[in-house]
Amino acid sequence: MQLQNQHCYLKFCNKFKIKICKQRIKFKHFFQIKMTLEAIIFENGRLKLLDQLQLPFTTSYIDIETIQEGWEAINKMKVRGAPAIAISGVLTVAVELGKKKFDSIEQIKNFTFESLDYLVTSRPTAVNMADASQKMKDFCLSLEKTKVDTIEYKKQLLEKMKSMLDEDVATNKSIGKYGASNILNRLEGQEKACVLTHCNTGSLATGGYGTALGVVRTLMEMGKLEHCYCTETRPYNQGSRLTAYELVYEKMPSTLICDSMVGLLLARKKISAIVVGADRVVANGDTANKIGTYQLAILAKYHNVPFYVAVPSTTIDLNKKNGSEIIIEERPSKEMTHVNNVRIAAEGISCWNPCFDVTPAELITGGLITEFGVFKPNELEAKIKQILKL
């Protein structure tokens, strides 16, 4: 079976001219890693991140050995997707924490807190990194009260950091289950779902499986996916570079469209639902996600297509009341004017390049898909507080 998988993957790489980088990873793990499309690998205290800037042409992993290298990988979008940013950030701290020697618990705590604070600054809009940072700080403080020695304190902290990967996959699968079920309940009889998604929200954006794309994956596993359309997601093309890569890899029936084609798609095709991810959802349900999401929601409302946002509870920020409080990251103009370092825009043109937009809660007509269920925006805050006992 392993040889068959290896042969299939080599054919896939050859078809799409994907270069195989064996130097970055141990050969004995190569096919296991590639067959599961892992964006994050943490083994024996070493962290490797799939360099998503090279996809889909080159598949290679980069070693993260310092806090600065982790910050730059997140900031330069070598790793991206709100859940993956959080996991990568915390595991970056784990790498340095594991190598350093400390004389006291206070030293460990200070190093951890300072490192986490710095990593939070790498991408300001996505809330997951800030949420993970606070949870790790809370864990440090609670662990300190147990009166363990310095060695045991460090050991338990590292175990807590490493557990984020498995927890994220379990969360994603729960999101997939609830989302798929809700979409199918809206359909008639044995009808299959035809879904549109935006940006990249799959294995490459998470610890594995995916949020919005995890819903699509669950529909596929249930034999209930008719088709998945994905937008190219300008200006950074996460849809054409990454989501298309995952859909082809998973052999899902799928079609790539330009962002400007969504209106006609909804008018001409029978789309069951639009499902997107998010980088931050605030208390009233307003949602910050990849630029272009807002206009998809408007089009969905006009064409009476249910619009869903799939998010883990870690993406929900109840400290902000509405979308006007969300900081919108602006990216370099070169991301608009160049593709693969080739200029495609007129020299001298000015650019405005916000990375995210905010979709008002009233446009999220399908609901917010979480690991606890699907909630309407106006009930989100109360439900999350009740579930998490906040």
Side-chain angles (χ1 to χ4, degrees):
M1 182 65 182
Q2 185 182 27
L3 286 174
Q4 183 180 4
N5 285 344
Q6 292 175 8
H7 177 67
C8 290
Y9 184 71
L10 287 170
K11 285 177 66 180
F12 173 85
C13 289
N14 183 58
K15 181 178 179 181
F16 291 95
K17 296 180 173 59
I18 297 171
K19 298 177 183 177
I20 302 175
C21 180
K22 298 176 183 176
Q23 293 84 356
R24 300 274 186 173
I25 52 180
K26 294 179 181 178
F27 184 75
K28 68 179 181 179
H29 296 304
F30 178 75
F31 289 104
Q32 176 190 351
I33 290 167
K34 295 303 176 186
M35 294 310 291
T36 53
L37 275 182
E38 288 179 294
I40 305 165
I41 302 168
F42 189 77
E43 292 178 341
N44 302 318
R46 299 182 64 189
L47 176 62
K48 296 177 183 293
L49 301 178
L50 181 62
D51 187 352
Q52 297 185 33
L53 293 181
Q54 306 303 318
L55 292 174
F57 308 109
T58 301
T59 304
S60 62
Y61 285 78
I62 53 175
D63 294 302
I64 302 297
E65 298 181 351
T66 67
I67 300 298
Q68 186 60 37
E69 287 177 353
W71 189 95
E72 289 176 0
I74 295 170
N75 180 259
K76 302 301 181 187
M77 295 177 68
K78 293 180 179 180
V79 62
R80 25 71 50 210
I85 287 171
I87 296 166
S88 300
V90 170
L91 291 179
T92 293
V93 179
V95 169
E96 277 216 49
L97 184 67
K99 293 187 294 186
K100 285 181 175 291
K101 292 185 178 180
F102 299 92
D103 296 325
S104 66
I105 288 174
E106 191 67 21
Q107 284 184 359
I108 298 175
K109 191 171 67 175
N110 288 342
F111 170 78
T112 301
F113 282 29
E114 290 171 7
S115 299
L116 289 169
D117 287 343
Y118 179 57
L119 286 160
V120 167
T121 69
S122 59
R123 296 289 304 279
T125 302
V127 71
N128 298 57
M129 184 64 233
D131 177 80
S133 171
Q134 188 56 54
K135 285 179 178 175
M136 286 301 157
K137 289 178 181 180
D138 292 343
F139 181 81
C140 285
L141 294 173
S142 63
L143 185 59
E144 192 174 14
K145 294 176 183 177
T146 63
K147 306 297 183 182
V148 296
D149 60 26
T150 303
I151 295 174
E152 184 62 23
Y153 184 93
K154 179 179 174 181
K155 178 183 175 183
Q156 290 192 33
L157 179 55
L158 286 171
E159 287 299 319
K160 179 66 175 177
M161 290 175 169
K162 287 189 288 185
S163 71
M164 285 190 68
L165 270 171
D166 290 338
E167 290 172 2
D168 187 68
V169 172
T171 294
N172 290 345
K173 288 186 175 181
S174 184
I175 290 170
K177 179 187 71 173
Y178 283 117
S181 176
N182 195 280
I183 291 169
L184 292 173
N185 285 341
R186 293 173 179 265
L187 304 181
E188 298 177 1
Q190 298 300 310
E191 187 181 356
K192 293 183 179 182
C194 189
V195 179
L196 169 66
T197 191
H198 184 59
C199 197
N200 175 256
T201 56
S203 298
L204 299 175
T206 63
Y209 203 77
T211 53
L213 203 58
V215 174
V216 177
R217 182 173 277 114
T218 301
L219 287 167
M220 180 69 175
E221 291 169 358
M222 296 170 69
K224 290 293 186 178
L225 179 66
E226 181 71 31
H227 207 81
C228 179
Y229 289 89
C230 65
T231 60
E232 63 176 352
T233 319
R234 284 283 293 148
Y236 226 43
N237 298 314
Q238 291 97 325
S240 57
R241 289 190 301 108
L242 307 178
T243 299
Y245 178 88
E246 290 199 52
L247 291 169
V248 170
Y249 187 88
E250 299 283 349
K251 295 184 173 63
M252 297 188 200
S254 51
T255 299
L256 174 68
I257 63 170
C258 296
D259 298 4
S260 54
M261 297 173 183
V262 172
L264 185 62
L265 177 75
L266 299 185
R268 297 288 179 88
K269 304 287 186 179
K270 189 175 181 181
I271 303 299
S272 312
I274 296 178
V275 189
V276 301
D279 288 79
R280 189 183 297 253
V281 178
V282 295
N284 75 334
D286 289 352
T287 295
N289 191 45
K290 184 57 56 190
I291 193 73
T293 302
Y294 181 23
Q295 61 199 33
L296 262 64
I298 293 171
L299 287 166
K301 181 82 169 179
Y302 180 82
H303 289 281
N304 198 30
V305 174
F307 187 90
Y308 292 89
V309 175
V311 290
S313 58
T314 52
T315 303
I316 300 169
D317 181 6
L318 298 181
N319 294 317
K320 288 181 169 50
K321 295 302 177 185
N322 58 64
S324 66
E325 300 178 41
I326 301 174
I327 297 171
I328 299 298
E329 176 187 1
E330 294 193 18
R331 301 286 300 176
S333 60
K334 187 176 180 181
E335 293 178 5
M336 289 179 66
T337 60
H338 292 68
V339 174
N340 287 339
N341 290 318
V342 176
R343 174 173 281 279
I344 60 170
E347 195 83 56
I349 188 69
S350 61
C351 296
W352 182 48
N353 189 19
C355 196
F356 304 94
D357 56 29
V358 177
T359 299
E362 58 265 29
L363 294 179
I364 303 171
T365 54
L368 291 135
I369 309 168
T370 74
E371 69 268 37
F372 306 117
V374 182
F375 306 124
K376 294 298 182 184
N378 61 7
E379 66 179 354
L380 178 70
E381 182 175 16
K383 291 285 189 182
I384 292 300
K385 283 183 175 179
Q386 178 185 2
I387 293 168
L388 298 180
K389 297 180 171 58
L390 299 176

